[in-house]
Amino acid sequence: MAGALAVCLIGAGILTSSYSQVVTASAGERKIPVYCVEKDEKVVSISFDAAWGNEQTDTLLNILDEKKVKASFFLVGMWVDKYPESVKDIAKRGHDVGNHSDTHPHMPQLSDEKMKSEVEQCNSKIEKLTGKKPTLFRPPYGDYNNSVVSCVNEADMYCIQWDIDSLDWKDPTAAQMVERIKNNLKNGSIILMHNGAKNTPEALPQIIDTIKAEGYEIVPISELLLKGEYYTDHEGRMHLKTEKETV
């Protein structure tokens, strides 16, 4: 599952402007996706990866509606093929519809051409159903390298990871998920969950209530991200570049 790998966050961040304009970096510099966002406000995002089943998606969407929360869904192209009405429903209800690759491969093992195909094919499928091209991409398994980040940026997209893994894919209890998320919350956090994990429907209302009780607002990742020229630091935290840094 996507949560299985929280890949290392070492090295300097890559400088980019909105989506894809990559600022020249020194040779060998590690390009790091967005794991979280530098925020003064108490605001976080909840995200769901959808790669396999669909039995719980409607339940999750209904809970989000009831709690008046908008989230971000990262969809695999194969899932989009199987469940087109769910894709349209996710978009209709106002949630982010992100790209999670077309076939859920380990992206760093692919050629640059195949990486590009994985991104473009899934984008095309989602855009055909929703009328909107995704701007968010999450690498399957959280597995990435410089080529993956570059490929995503060149497609005018943000490469998105997470800094809080609910571990719902390991089937913890709802209480364990709530406690784990509560203990790791900070401004700008991105929470990873899955649409098909066993105990996620039971945990989600409690997670939302706990996050709100801690004083945080929940927004989709598209609203959490900083707008304008930015960089990610060694922890994957997204920062706006200062005027001095852009010169």
Side-chain angles (χ1 to χ4, degrees), residues 27-65:
E29 185 173 26
R30 186 174 180 86
K31 301 179 181 181
I32 301 179
V34 175
Y35 280 76
C36 55
V37 180
E38 181 65 25
K39 286 282 189 179
D40 293 328
E41 313 87 40
K42 297 188 73 171
V43 58
V44 301
S45 293
I46 295 175
S47 63
F48 299 89
D49 289 357
W52 315 120
N54 194 39
E55 295 79 11
Q56 300 178 155
T57 305
D58 283 346
T59 300
L60 296 175
L61 290 172
N62 289 337
I63 292 169
L64 292 168
D65 280 352

Short mmCIF file of all heavy atoms in Angstrom, two decimals, residues 27-65:
data_model
loop_
_atom_site.label_atom_id
_atom_site.label_comp_id
_atom_site.label_asym_id
_atom_site.label_seq_id
_atom_site.Cartn_x
_atom_site.Cartn_y
_atom_site.Cartn_z
N ALA A 27 24.33 20.33 -9.11
CA ALA A 27 24.35 18.94 -9.54
C ALA A 27 24.28 18.01 -8.34
O ALA A 27 24.93 18.22 -7.33
CB ALA A 27 25.63 18.67 -10.34
N GLY A 28 23.47 16.98 -8.43
CA GLY A 28 23.36 16.00 -7.37
C GLY A 28 22.40 16.39 -6.27
O GLY A 28 22.22 15.63 -5.32
N GLU A 29 21.75 17.54 -6.37
CA GLU A 29 20.81 17.96 -5.33
C GLU A 29 19.57 17.10 -5.37
O GLU A 29 19.02 16.81 -6.42
CB GLU A 29 20.44 19.43 -5.54
CG GLU A 29 19.56 19.99 -4.44
CD GLU A 29 19.35 21.48 -4.59
OE1 GLU A 29 19.44 21.98 -5.72
OE2 GLU A 29 19.11 22.14 -3.57
N ARG A 30 19.12 16.68 -4.19
CA ARG A 30 17.94 15.82 -4.10
C ARG A 30 16.67 16.64 -4.26
O ARG A 30 16.51 17.69 -3.63
CB ARG A 30 17.92 15.09 -2.76
CG ARG A 30 16.80 14.05 -2.67
CD ARG A 30 16.90 13.25 -1.39
NE ARG A 30 15.84 12.26 -1.29
CZ ARG A 30 15.90 11.06 -1.81
NH1 ARG A 30 16.98 10.69 -2.47
NH2 ARG A 30 14.89 10.21 -1.68
N LYS A 31 15.77 16.17 -5.09
CA LYS A 31 14.49 16.83 -5.31
C LYS A 31 13.45 16.16 -4.42
O LYS A 31 13.22 14.96 -4.53
CB LYS A 31 14.10 16.72 -6.79
CG LYS A 31 15.11 17.36 -7.73
CD LYS A 31 14.69 17.22 -9.18
CE LYS A 31 15.73 17.83 -10.11
NZ LYS A 31 15.33 17.75 -11.53
N ILE A 32 12.84 16.94 -3.56
CA ILE A 32 11.95 16.39 -2.54
C ILE A 32 10.51 16.86 -2.77
O ILE A 32 10.27 18.05 -2.95
CB ILE A 32 12.42 16.80 -1.13
CG1 ILE A 32 13.85 16.29 -0.89
CG2 ILE A 32 11.48 16.25 -0.06
CD1 ILE A 32 14.42 16.66 0.45
N PRO A 33 9.55 15.94 -2.79
CA PRO A 33 8.14 16.32 -2.92
C PRO A 33 7.66 17.12 -1.71
O PRO A 33 8.38 17.30 -0.73
CB PRO A 33 7.42 14.97 -3.00
CG PRO A 33 8.47 13.97 -3.33
CD PRO A 33 9.72 14.48 -2.72
N VAL A 34 6.40 17.55 -1.77
CA VAL A 34 5.79 18.26 -0.65
C VAL A 34 5.22 17.25 0.33
O VAL A 34 4.30 16.50 0.00
CB VAL A 34 4.66 19.20 -1.15
CG1 VAL A 34 3.96 19.85 0.03
CG2 VAL A 34 5.23 20.25 -2.10
N TYR A 35 5.78 17.23 1.53
CA TYR A 35 5.29 16.36 2.60
C TYR A 35 4.34 17.11 3.54
O TYR A 35 3.45 16.52 4.15
CB TYR A 35 6.45 15.80 3.42
CG TYR A 35 7.15 14.64 2.78
CD1 TYR A 35 8.02 14.82 1.71
CD2 TYR A 35 6.96 13.34 3.23
CE1 TYR A 35 8.68 13.75 1.12
CE2 TYR A 35 7.60 12.26 2.65
CZ TYR A 35 8.46 12.47 1.59
OH TYR A 35 9.10 11.41 1.00
N CYS A 36 4.57 18.40 3.69
CA CYS A 36 3.76 19.26 4.53
C CYS A 36 4.03 20.69 4.10
O CYS A 36 4.88 20.93 3.24
CB CYS A 36 4.06 19.05 6.02
SG CYS A 36 5.80 19.25 6.46
N VAL A 37 3.31 21.64 4.69
CA VAL A 37 3.37 23.03 4.23
C VAL A 37 3.63 23.95 5.41
O VAL A 37 3.02 23.80 6.48
CB VAL A 37 2.06 23.43 3.51
CG1 VAL A 37 2.13 24.88 3.03
CG2 VAL A 37 1.78 22.49 2.34
N GLU A 38 4.53 24.90 5.23
CA GLU A 38 4.80 25.90 6.26
C GLU A 38 3.59 26.82 6.37
O GLU A 38 3.25 27.53 5.42
CB GLU A 38 6.05 26.71 5.90
CG GLU A 38 6.43 27.76 6.92
CD GLU A 38 6.85 27.17 8.26
OE1 GLU A 38 7.30 26.00 8.31
OE2 GLU A 38 6.72 27.89 9.27
N LYS A 39 2.94 26.79 7.51
CA LYS A 39 1.72 27.58 7.72
C LYS A 39 1.74 28.23 9.09
O LYS A 39 2.09 27.59 10.09
CB LYS A 39 0.48 26.67 7.62
CG LYS A 39 0.11 26.22 6.23
CD LYS A 39 -0.59 27.33 5.46
CE LYS A 39 -1.15 26.84 4.15
NZ LYS A 39 -1.85 27.91 3.42
N ASP A 40 1.31 29.49 9.15
CA ASP A 40 1.11 30.15 10.43
C ASP A 40 -0.24 29.73 11.03
O ASP A 40 -0.40 29.67 12.25
CB ASP A 40 1.13 31.67 10.26
CG ASP A 40 2.50 32.19 9.86
OD1 ASP A 40 3.51 31.58 10.28
OD2 ASP A 40 2.55 33.20 9.13
N GLU A 41 -1.21 29.42 10.16
CA GLU A 41 -2.54 29.06 10.62
C GLU A 41 -2.61 27.57 10.96
O GLU A 41 -1.88 26.76 10.42
CB GLU A 41 -3.58 29.37 9.54
CG GLU A 41 -3.47 30.74 8.90
CD GLU A 41 -2.50 30.74 7.73
OE1 GLU A 41 -2.49 29.78 6.95
OE2 GLU A 41 -1.73 31.71 7.63
N LYS A 42 -3.55 27.24 11.83
CA LYS A 42 -3.79 25.84 12.18
C LYS A 42 -4.70 25.22 11.12
O LYS A 42 -5.92 25.23 11.23
CB LYS A 42 -4.40 25.73 13.58
CG LYS A 42 -3.49 26.26 14.68
CD LYS A 42 -4.03 25.96 16.07
CE LYS A 42 -3.91 24.49 16.41
NZ LYS A 42 -4.24 24.21 17.85
N VAL A 43 -4.08 24.70 10.10
CA VAL A 43 -4.82 24.14 8.98
C VAL A 43 -4.10 22.89 8.49
O VAL A 43 -2.86 22.85 8.44
CB VAL A 43 -4.99 25.18 7.85
CG1 VAL A 43 -3.63 25.67 7.36
CG2 VAL A 43 -5.82 24.64 6.70
N VAL A 44 -4.85 21.83 8.17
CA VAL A 44 -4.28 20.55 7.72
C VAL A 44 -5.14 19.98 6.60
O VAL A 44 -6.25 20.48 6.33
CB VAL A 44 -4.20 19.53 8.89
CG1 VAL A 44 -3.34 20.06 10.02
CG2 VAL A 44 -5.59 19.17 9.39
N SER A 45 -4.64 18.93 5.96
CA SER A 45 -5.39 18.24 4.90
C SER A 45 -5.47 16.75 5.18
O SER A 45 -4.53 16.15 5.71
CB SER A 45 -4.71 18.47 3.54
OG SER A 45 -4.80 19.80 3.14
N ILE A 46 -6.61 16.17 4.78
CA ILE A 46 -6.79 14.71 4.82
C ILE A 46 -6.81 14.21 3.38
O ILE A 46 -7.49 14.78 2.52
CB ILE A 46 -8.11 14.33 5.51
CG1 ILE A 46 -8.07 14.73 7.00
CG2 ILE A 46 -8.39 12.84 5.37
CD1 ILE A 46 -9.40 14.50 7.72
N SER A 47 -6.05 13.15 3.12
CA SER A 47 -6.01 12.59 1.76
C SER A 47 -6.28 11.10 1.80
O SER A 47 -5.98 10.42 2.78
CB SER A 47 -4.65 12.87 1.12
OG SER A 47 -3.60 12.24 1.82
N PHE A 48 -6.85 10.61 0.70
CA PHE A 48 -7.16 9.20 0.55
C PHE A 48 -6.56 8.69 -0.76
O PHE A 48 -6.73 9.31 -1.81
CB PHE A 48 -8.68 8.96 0.49
CG PHE A 48 -9.42 9.39 1.72
CD1 PHE A 48 -9.90 10.68 1.82
CD2 PHE A 48 -9.65 8.50 2.76
CE1 PHE A 48 -10.60 11.09 2.95
CE2 PHE A 48 -10.34 8.90 3.89
CZ PHE A 48 -10.82 10.20 3.99
N ASP A 49 -5.88 7.56 -0.70
CA ASP A 49 -5.40 6.89 -1.91
C ASP A 49 -6.40 5.80 -2.29
O ASP A 49 -6.86 5.03 -1.43
CB ASP A 49 -4.03 6.26 -1.68
CG ASP A 49 -2.92 7.30 -1.55
OD1 ASP A 49 -3.21 8.50 -1.69
OD2 ASP A 49 -1.77 6.89 -1.29
N ALA A 50 -6.72 5.74 -3.58
CA ALA A 50 -7.67 4.74 -4.07
C ALA A 50 -7.01 3.96 -5.21
O ALA A 50 -6.78 4.51 -6.28
CB ALA A 50 -8.95 5.40 -4.56
N ALA A 51 -6.72 2.69 -4.94
CA ALA A 51 -6.04 1.87 -5.93
C ALA A 51 -6.76 0.55 -6.21
O ALA A 51 -6.63 0.01 -7.30
CB ALA A 51 -4.61 1.58 -5.47
N TRP A 52 -7.49 0.04 -5.24
CA TRP A 52 -8.02 -1.31 -5.40
C TRP A 52 -9.55 -1.33 -5.31
O TRP A 52 -10.25 -1.08 -6.27
CB TRP A 52 -7.39 -2.25 -4.38
CG TRP A 52 -5.90 -2.06 -4.28
CD1 TRP A 52 -5.18 -1.70 -3.16
CD2 TRP A 52 -4.92 -2.16 -5.33
NE1 TRP A 52 -3.84 -1.57 -3.45
CE2 TRP A 52 -3.65 -1.84 -4.76
CE3 TRP A 52 -5.00 -2.46 -6.68
CZ2 TRP A 52 -2.47 -1.84 -5.51
CZ3 TRP A 52 -3.82 -2.46 -7.43
CH2 TRP A 52 -2.59 -2.16 -6.84
N GLY A 53 -10.13 -1.60 -4.16
CA GLY A 53 -11.58 -1.74 -4.04
C GLY A 53 -12.31 -0.41 -3.97
O GLY A 53 -11.71 0.66 -3.94
N ASN A 54 -13.66 -0.54 -3.90
CA ASN A 54 -14.50 0.66 -3.89
C ASN A 54 -15.68 0.53 -2.94
O ASN A 54 -16.60 1.35 -2.95
CB ASN A 54 -15.02 0.94 -5.30
CG ASN A 54 -15.61 2.31 -5.45
OD1 ASN A 54 -15.09 3.28 -4.90
ND2 ASN A 54 -16.71 2.42 -6.18
N GLU A 55 -15.67 -0.49 -2.09
CA GLU A 55 -16.83 -0.76 -1.26
C GLU A 55 -17.13 0.36 -0.26
O GLU A 55 -18.28 0.54 0.16
CB GLU A 55 -16.64 -2.08 -0.50
CG GLU A 55 -16.58 -3.32 -1.38
CD GLU A 55 -15.23 -3.50 -2.05
OE1 GLU A 55 -14.28 -2.78 -1.66
OE2 GLU A 55 -15.14 -4.35 -2.96
N GLN A 56 -16.10 1.10 0.15
CA GLN A 56 -16.28 2.06 1.23
C GLN A 56 -16.30 3.52 0.77
O GLN A 56 -16.51 4.42 1.58
CB GLN A 56 -15.16 1.88 2.28
CG GLN A 56 -15.15 0.51 2.89
CD GLN A 56 -14.01 0.31 3.88
OE1 GLN A 56 -14.11 -0.53 4.77
NE2 GLN A 56 -12.94 1.06 3.75
N THR A 57 -16.08 3.76 -0.52
CA THR A 57 -15.93 5.14 -0.99
C THR A 57 -17.17 5.97 -0.70
O THR A 57 -17.07 7.11 -0.21
CB THR A 57 -15.61 5.16 -2.49
OG1 THR A 57 -14.46 4.36 -2.75
CG2 THR A 57 -15.34 6.58 -2.95
N ASP A 58 -18.36 5.46 -0.99
CA ASP A 58 -19.58 6.22 -0.74
C ASP A 58 -19.73 6.55 0.74
O ASP A 58 -20.15 7.66 1.09
CB ASP A 58 -20.81 5.43 -1.21
CG ASP A 58 -20.98 5.45 -2.72
OD1 ASP A 58 -20.32 6.29 -3.38
OD2 ASP A 58 -21.77 4.64 -3.24
N THR A 59 -19.40 5.60 1.60
CA THR A 59 -19.49 5.84 3.04
C THR A 59 -18.56 6.97 3.46
O THR A 59 -18.96 7.86 4.22
CB THR A 59 -19.13 4.56 3.82
OG1 THR A 59 -20.03 3.52 3.46
CG2 THR A 59 -19.19 4.80 5.32
N LEU A 60 -17.35 6.95 2.95
CA LEU A 60 -16.38 8.00 3.29
C LEU A 60 -16.86 9.36 2.78
O LEU A 60 -16.76 10.37 3.48
CB LEU A 60 -15.01 7.66 2.71
CG LEU A 60 -14.34 6.40 3.25
CD1 LEU A 60 -13.04 6.13 2.49
CD2 LEU A 60 -14.06 6.52 4.74
N LEU A 61 -17.38 9.39 1.57
CA LEU A 61 -17.88 10.64 1.00
C LEU A 61 -19.06 11.18 1.81
O LEU A 61 -19.17 12.40 2.04
CB LEU A 61 -18.28 10.44 -0.46
CG LEU A 61 -17.13 10.22 -1.44
CD1 LEU A 61 -17.68 9.84 -2.81
CD2 LEU A 61 -16.25 11.46 -1.54
N ASN A 62 -19.93 10.29 2.26
CA ASN A 62 -21.07 10.72 3.07
C ASN A 62 -20.61 11.28 4.42
O ASN A 62 -21.17 12.28 4.90
CB ASN A 62 -22.04 9.56 3.28
CG ASN A 62 -22.79 9.19 2.02
OD1 ASN A 62 -22.94 10.01 1.11
ND2 ASN A 62 -23.26 7.96 1.94
N ILE A 63 -19.61 10.66 5.01
CA ILE A 63 -19.07 11.17 6.28
C ILE A 63 -18.47 12.56 6.08
O ILE A 63 -18.71 13.48 6.88
CB ILE A 63 -18.01 10.20 6.84
CG1 ILE A 63 -18.65 8.89 7.27
CG2 ILE A 63 -17.25 10.85 8.01
CD1 ILE A 63 -17.65 7.79 7.58
N LEU A 64 -17.72 12.72 5.01
CA LEU A 64 -17.12 14.03 4.73
C LEU A 64 -18.20 15.09 4.51
O LEU A 64 -18.07 16.23 4.98
CB LEU A 64 -16.20 13.93 3.51
CG LEU A 64 -14.93 13.09 3.69
CD1 LEU A 64 -14.26 12.82 2.34
CD2 LEU A 64 -13.95 13.79 4.64
N ASP A 65 -19.27 14.71 3.82
CA ASP A 65 -20.39 15.64 3.64
C ASP A 65 -21.01 16.02 4.98
O ASP A 65 -21.27 17.20 5.25
CB ASP A 65 -21.46 15.02 2.75
CG ASP A 65 -21.13 15.09 1.27
OD1 ASP A 65 -20.14 15.76 0.91
OD2 ASP A 65 -21.86 14.48 0.47
#
